[in-house]
Amino acid sequence: NHNAHVMTSLGCPFHCTFCASHKVHGRTMRYYSVERVRQDFLRLRDDYGAKTLIVQDDHFMGDPERALEIVKIIKELGLKAVFQNGLAMYALKRPFLEALKDAGVENLLLSIESGSQSVLTKIMKKPLKLPIVQRVVEDCRELGIYTNANVIIGMPGETEQDMDEGRDFLKTISPNWFMIFCASPLVGSEMYEIAAERGYLKDGHIGSDYKQAV
């Protein structure tokens, strides 16, 4: 199908309570060199016929300058790219978004997670400020990049007032689509530990279902 899944780095230094990737990949960032990435992409294109790279890094924006170099390589090699995981929004400056557009990236997943700053900071422990969300969404609109906004509701400790506040904020931004998911306690996440301690889990819970609360 001419698609190749790639990872150019491992790790994520953040402590988002709903995430469990650190249990597998750790919190310390490790990177392939940019030249190694170039050679990998060349081989995928020339030896295996890849036309689209599906980037799976947990934190592709860990080094924004390196990320920009890789995006430029993707364009240089005549490849397309899909970023299946959300890119850290604090690092999505206008020049980087312009480079993505120039490289043929047509859509992005925006990991907003909540329209409530209190939920983001105190409950999710996610390092994101809502004014950044507004800027990125506006820039993507102006550049013609289609955006899916990822939102999670029902975190342990989140109140109806928090949800109302979050909804009010989300009404002020204009991504192309909202994807609303029920918070689900992934094994290995801090959220799972909280849910287990408070007796929130159903008997036998071992996985996740983002459409239905556990």
Side-chain angles (χ1 to χ4, degrees):
N1 60 10
H2 304 296
N3 294 339
H5 292 255
V6 297
M7 294 188 76
T8 74
S9 67
L10 285 176
C12 180
F14 301 123
H15 291 74
C16 301
T17 55
F18 52 79
C19 183
S21 69
H22 61 281
K23 291 291 187 179
V24 179
H25 297 153
R27 298 198 191 277
T28 301
M29 294 300 302
R30 289 94 73 206
Y31 302 102
Y32 282 143
S33 70
V34 172
E35 184 54 34
R36 160 67 189 266
V37 172
R38 179 194 296 275
Q39 293 304 316
D40 284 352
F41 290 0
L42 270 171
R43 187 179 181 200
L44 289 169
R45 184 192 71 178
D46 297 343
D47 295 351
Y48 297 98
K51 295 181 179 179
T52 299
L53 303 176
I54 302 175
V55 182
Q56 298 280 13
D57 298 42
D58 289 328
H59 185 34
F60 183 73
M61 303 303 295
D63 181 340
E65 292 184 6
R66 172 185 178 275
L68 181 58
E69 288 187 66
I70 292 173
V71 169
K72 290 179 178 178
I73 289 171
I74 291 169
K75 180 192 177 184
E76 172 194 328
L77 299 181
L79 296 164
K80 290 188 175 180
V82 173
F83 294 89
Q84 201 161 30
N85 296 326
L87 301 180
M89 295 186 68
Y90 73 85
L92 294 183
K93 306 292 197 257
R94 179 73 178 228
F96 184 81
L97 291 170
E98 290 172 350
L100 288 177
K101 180 66 176 179
D102 193 40
V105 174
E106 298 175 348
N107 58 75
L108 286 177
L109 172 65
L110 301 182
S111 297
I112 299 172
E113 315 304 8
S114 177
S116 165
Q117 189 64 63
S118 176
V119 170
L120 284 171
T121 303
K122 298 178 181 179
I123 295 178
M124 293 183 171
K125 299 181 182 177
K126 183 177 176 71
L128 177 63
K129 303 298 183 183
L130 293 179
I132 293 174
V133 172
Q134 292 171 313
R135 176 187 57 76
V136 172
V137 172
E138 289 173 6
D139 283 346
C140 287
R141 274 281 179 179
E142 291 177 7
L143 293 169
I145 298 174
Y146 187 100
T147 53
N148 287 308
N150 201 71
V151 178
I152 302 173
I153 59 171
M155 294 289 298
E158 186 176 9
T159 67
E160 288 188 24
Q161 181 178 345
D162 291 328
M163 294 182 189
D164 289 342
E165 176 185 313
R167 184 170 60 248
D168 289 342
F169 171 80
L170 295 173
K171 287 179 180 179
T172 70
I173 60 175
S174 299
N176 294 92
W177 197 255
F178 285 98
M179 298 189 295
I180 314 295
F181 297 104
C182 295
S184 189
L186 299 175
V187 175
S189 69
E190 182 180 344
M191 178 185 171
Y192 183 90
E193 296 172 0
I194 292 170
E197 289 173 2
R198 298 181 184 179
Y200 292 162
L201 301 178
K202 291 181 179 178
D203 291 340
H205 171 78
I206 59 172
S208 62
D209 181 344
Y210 298 111
K211 302 298 182 184
Q212 174 178 313
V214 173

